[in-house]
Amino acid sequence: MKTVGSHIASLLAGRTSLQRGITPFLKYVALLVAIMLLYAWGFHVIMAREGQDHSWVTGVYWVLTVMTTLGFGDITFHSDVGRVFSSLVLITGVVMLLILMPFLFISTVYTPWLEQRSRARVRMVRQIPADVTGHVLIAANDPIALALIRRLQVAGVPAYVVEPDPEIALQMHDAGFPVVCGDIDSCDTYSAAGVERAKLVFANSSDADNSNIILTVRERAETIRIVALAEVDDSIDILELSGATHVLPLKRQLGEHLANRVSSGLTRANVIGRFHGLLLAEFPVHDTPLQRKTLEEIDLQELVGVSVVGVWDHGVLHRADPTLRLTTTCVPVVIGTPEQIDALNELLVIYNVNPHPVIVLGGGKVGVAAVQALKARGIPVHVVEQDAAVARVLNGIADRVIVGDAADRRVLADAGVEQAPSILITPHDDAMNVYLTVYCRRLNPDARILSRVMFERNVAAIQRAGADFVLSYASLGVHSLLALVQERELVVLGEGVDLYYIPLPVSLSGQSLRQAAIQARSGLHVIAVQHDGGVQSLPALDYRLLVGSSIIALGTPAERERFLTAYGPHNTA
């Protein structure tokens, strides 16, 4: 009854449009009542001719039972005239009640009510509440948007995606997805989204649309930070001239990050990120005396000063357990000062890994960026590309370009895949990348296979296929945006591993890192502690945690949840 009442109230609320729509239905009801009264009068006339006497209430009752096709049979005519009259009443009831009434009710009452309700719900998602500040506005619902919103929520930053289609916006809202409905090139949309109170706007549409978005936002907020994606390098200058604060050529950066993880030539530590004056790096242990030893036996912190924060093995980052034994496929991740990383390189440089060319499968934007990054390091590269036109462009960049299908064993053999130290798989088709990973792993079990994926949901599949390192377009975009929102350096370890800023829980106040045993209980590796605006990098185990501090740690979402479960909420005092 409460639902029916609310429906009626909302129906009556829209007086202007709904009253115009309901008028035909009211006329139909008046006509129906008139016909029923006419048939009740005819019932009395015919019954009187047959010698039967009934009240008016009985007449109306008989008309209702016949028109609604119930026909109880307790009151009947005995003459043919009466039976013909009953048939006429029955046919009229079928047409009026079973055909016309539902049609008119749906078209003149229910549909307008639904439209009014939809408009009311759309109005609800057309404006962000006035008390929301410091939020992030995302211009398009792409593979980056959902992951970015979830990650920003973990960091305590509200985020909304702009969706021009009202129906899609309502579906997103019903699914719990923060959304604001409006055109991405409308000033009114960004005003309703509180762009003046926002922390950042993310223009993640096409290059042309992004330029329009930037100019539109600048009309409402001249000083807000705007981050724009660039499909091609030629668009970077245009987007900056339009007013973008930062431009991210993600596809180029994706290729560079993949190339940065390649193992080839002399063994060395590949720098993968910077953090408050420290460097994050990783290196292979294959064909070095470090393989088959435990981290405790190696003791890199004593040897060169670096601290091991994790170990990659077949695409999974394992905790830096002192008893972990390094196999030939392991790639330790370390953190240290530039001088300590140089010392590590001096230790590693005497060991030589496979000198054969690195193989890059795919010559698209990601593949070209990877080849250019590898050549800048002096690493020989062979590229396999199916499109002859694209291959001609690559001829002046790679050492050798093989035109053909990467799924053809003869093409891969010609490229030298069986001897390659590393293989980069760069096509934008996730299913094909999984297939090529399985194929290359079978042909070269010892190679370090690195692959890109478009969607994060395919990361687990490609890791099972045998990839040693996987990086998705969406994940790189999320990491890049988080670094800008949190105003820190970009740190990209790999899929599923993040850098977390966690407010100190009440239970840890006053304890030392040794007493807290954070890594043992949760798996998170503490790399710094932030307090009073300062950052203590690589704190010693006797470092005491103070109220108001934040722990900066590397780990997976599951490890972060274990941390919150183990230590409880942070101090809100």
Side-chain angles (χ1 to χ4, degrees):
M1 289 300 294
K2 187 179 294 186
T3 302
V4 173
S6 65
H7 286 185
I8 293 174
S10 63
L11 182 66
L12 296 176
R15 295 172 182 269
T16 306
S17 59
L18 286 179
Q19 282 182 354
R20 283 198 300 267
I22 205 172
T23 300
F25 183 74
L26 294 177
K27 291 181 179 178
Y28 160 80
V29 172
L31 175 63
L32 180 62
V33 171
I35 291 175
M36 290 174 62
L37 293 175
L38 177 63
Y39 283 158
W41 175 80
F43 169 82
H44 283 286
V45 172
I46 297 175
M47 280 295 183
R49 291 183 58 182
E50 292 185 359
Q52 301 185 55
D53 185 29
H54 295 284
S55 66
W56 270 95
V57 173
T58 303
V60 172
Y61 162 78
W62 178 85
V63 170
L64 284 173
T65 58
V66 175
M67 290 187 70
T68 56
T69 70
L70 293 176
F72 294 132
D74 53 341
I75 305 171
T76 58
F77 289 104
H78 302 306
S79 64
D80 290 342
V81 174
R83 294 187 178 95
V84 170
F85 177 71
S86 298
S87 299
L88 176 63
V89 174
L90 179 63
I91 294 172
T92 304
V94 169
V95 174
M96 295 289 291
L97 296 179
L98 302 185
I99 299 176
L100 289 181
M101 176 177 275
F103 174 78
L104 284 173
F105 179 80
I106 291 173
S107 62
T108 63
V109 178
Y110 186 69
T111 299
W113 172 77
L114 279 181
E115 291 175 350
Q116 176 191 327
R117 185 169 178 266
S118 177
R119 286 193 295 269
R121 295 180 67 223
V122 169
R123 285 195 297 271
M124 181 175 61
V125 298
R126 283 193 183 276
Q127 189 164 3
I128 291 176
D131 59 345
V132 175
T133 59
H135 52 290
V136 174
L137 294 176
I138 305 171
N141 185 17
D142 67 352
I144 300 176
L146 179 58
L148 178 60
I149 285 180
R150 288 174 177 168
R151 189 63 182 83
L152 285 171
Q153 287 173 343
V154 170
V157 179
Y160 296 83
V161 64
V162 179
E163 174 54 54
D165 190 319
E167 292 300 322
I168 297 178
L170 288 176
Q171 292 172 10
M172 294 168 64
H173 179 267
D174 292 341
F177 196 81
V179 62
V180 56
C181 184
D183 295 324
I184 61 174
D185 57 354
S186 170
C187 290
D188 294 338
T189 298
Y190 295 100
S191 294
V195 69
E196 299 87 353
R197 310 186 305 272
K199 188 180 187 71
L200 182 143
V201 174
F202 180 34
N204 56 329
S205 190
S206 66
D207 290 353
D209 286 340
N210 286 346
S211 179
N212 197 357
I213 291 168
I214 295 166
L215 292 170
T216 303
V217 171
R218 283 287 173 239
E219 289 188 33
R220 288 291 183 264
E222 295 183 358
T223 60
I224 191 171
R225 289 192 298 164
I226 302 176
V227 180
L229 294 186
E231 283 285 324
V232 296
D233 290 350
D234 290 341
S235 299
I236 295 176
D237 290 341
I238 298 174
L239 294 172
E240 288 177 343
L241 289 172
S242 298
T245 314
H246 304 277
V247 179
L248 300 177
L250 274 189
K251 291 186 177 179
R252 187 186 75 192
Q253 293 177 352
L254 181 59
E256 292 171 347
H257 278 283
L258 289 173
N260 205 27
R261 261 60 180 215
V262 159
S263 300
S264 180
L266 296 176
T267 303
R268 61 188 295 273
N270 297 323
V271 176
I272 59 176
R274 288 170 171 81
F275 177 80
H276 290 281
L278 299 177
L279 300 181
L280 275 165
E282 62 182 30
F283 63 93
V285 299
H286 184 60
D287 286 340
T288 72
L290 303 182
Q291 65 184 16
R292 299 185 180 88
K293 291 185 179 181
T294 65
L295 293 179
E296 187 175 31
E297 291 171 343
I298 298 171
D299 197 5
L300 288 177
Q301 191 164 19
E302 176 68 24
L303 198 59
V304 294
V306 298
S307 177
V308 180
V309 299
V311 178
W312 287 108
D313 190 12
H314 292 102
V316 178
L317 186 68
H318 297 278
R319 189 164 61 93
D321 190 325
T323 62
L324 179 64
R325 190 169 299 278
L326 301 178
T327 65
T328 57
T329 58
C330 286
V331 178
V333 180
V334 298
I335 185 170
T337 64
E339 294 77 17
Q340 291 168 343
I341 298 298
D342 289 339
L344 177 62
N345 281 329
E346 290 177 7
L347 174 69
L348 297 172
V349 75
I350 62 175
Y351 305 110
N352 194 32
V353 296
N354 190 329
H356 289 88
V358 170
I359 307 300
V360 176
L361 305 183
K365 294 183 179 69
V366 176
V368 169
V371 172
Q372 291 173 333
L374 290 169
K375 293 304 297 178
R377 290 170 49 187
I379 296 175
V381 185
H382 289 178
V383 180
V384 177
E385 171 56 47
Q386 191 170 16
D387 190 328
V390 175
R392 283 194 293 270
V393 176
L394 288 163
N395 277 327
I397 304 174
D399 294 274
R400 185 169 173 232
V401 180
I402 297 88
V403 180
D405 188 353
D408 188 333
R409 181 167 185 170
R410 291 172 298 179
V411 172
L412 291 178
D414 186 25
V417 72
E418 295 176 359
Q419 298 82 32
S422 296
I423 303 169
L424 273 69
I425 302 175
T426 67
H428 61 273
D429 185 337
D430 286 0
M432 176 57 69
N433 290 355
V434 172
Y435 175 81
L436 291 175
T437 299
V438 174
Y439 204 176
C440 291
R441 178 57 68 202
R442 183 177 180 84
L443 295 175
N444 189 343
D446 296 326
R448 179 163 167 79
I449 298 179
L450 309 100
S451 177
R452 57 109 21 128
V453 290
M454 192 65 189
F455 300 100
E456 287 182 292
R457 63 176 181 267
N458 294 319
V459 170
I462 208 162
Q463 286 175 337
R464 287 193 299 269
D468 295 295
F469 181 82
V470 184
L471 188 60
S472 71
Y473 177 84
S475 177
L476 181 58
V478 170
H479 281 89
S480 301
L481 262 293
L482 281 173
L484 291 171
V485 171
Q486 296 176 339
E487 299 179 355
R488 58 172 174 80
E489 297 94 336
L490 174 62
V491 177
V492 182
L493 268 79
E495 288 298 327
V497 183
D498 287 322
L499 181 69
Y500 294 102
Y501 284 66
I502 308 175
L504 186 71
V506 178
S507 61
L508 293 181
S509 297
Q511 291 191 24
S512 68
L513 284 174
R514 189 190 309 277
Q515 293 171 321
I518 293 172
Q519 185 171 4
R521 296 183 63 183
S522 68
L524 290 178
H525 189 98
V526 179
I527 62 172
V529 177
Q530 191 174 44
H531 183 70
D532 286 342
V535 175
Q536 175 64 47
S537 302
L538 295 178
L541 290 176
D542 58 355
Y543 181 88
R544 194 159 299 278
L545 301 169
L546 303 177
V547 176
S549 298
S550 290
I551 295 171
I552 305 173
L554 294 171
T556 65
E559 289 170 344
R560 180 184 178 276
E561 289 302 318
R562 285 200 295 269
F563 176 91
L564 296 178
T565 302
Y567 299 106
H570 64 275
N571 197 333
T572 57

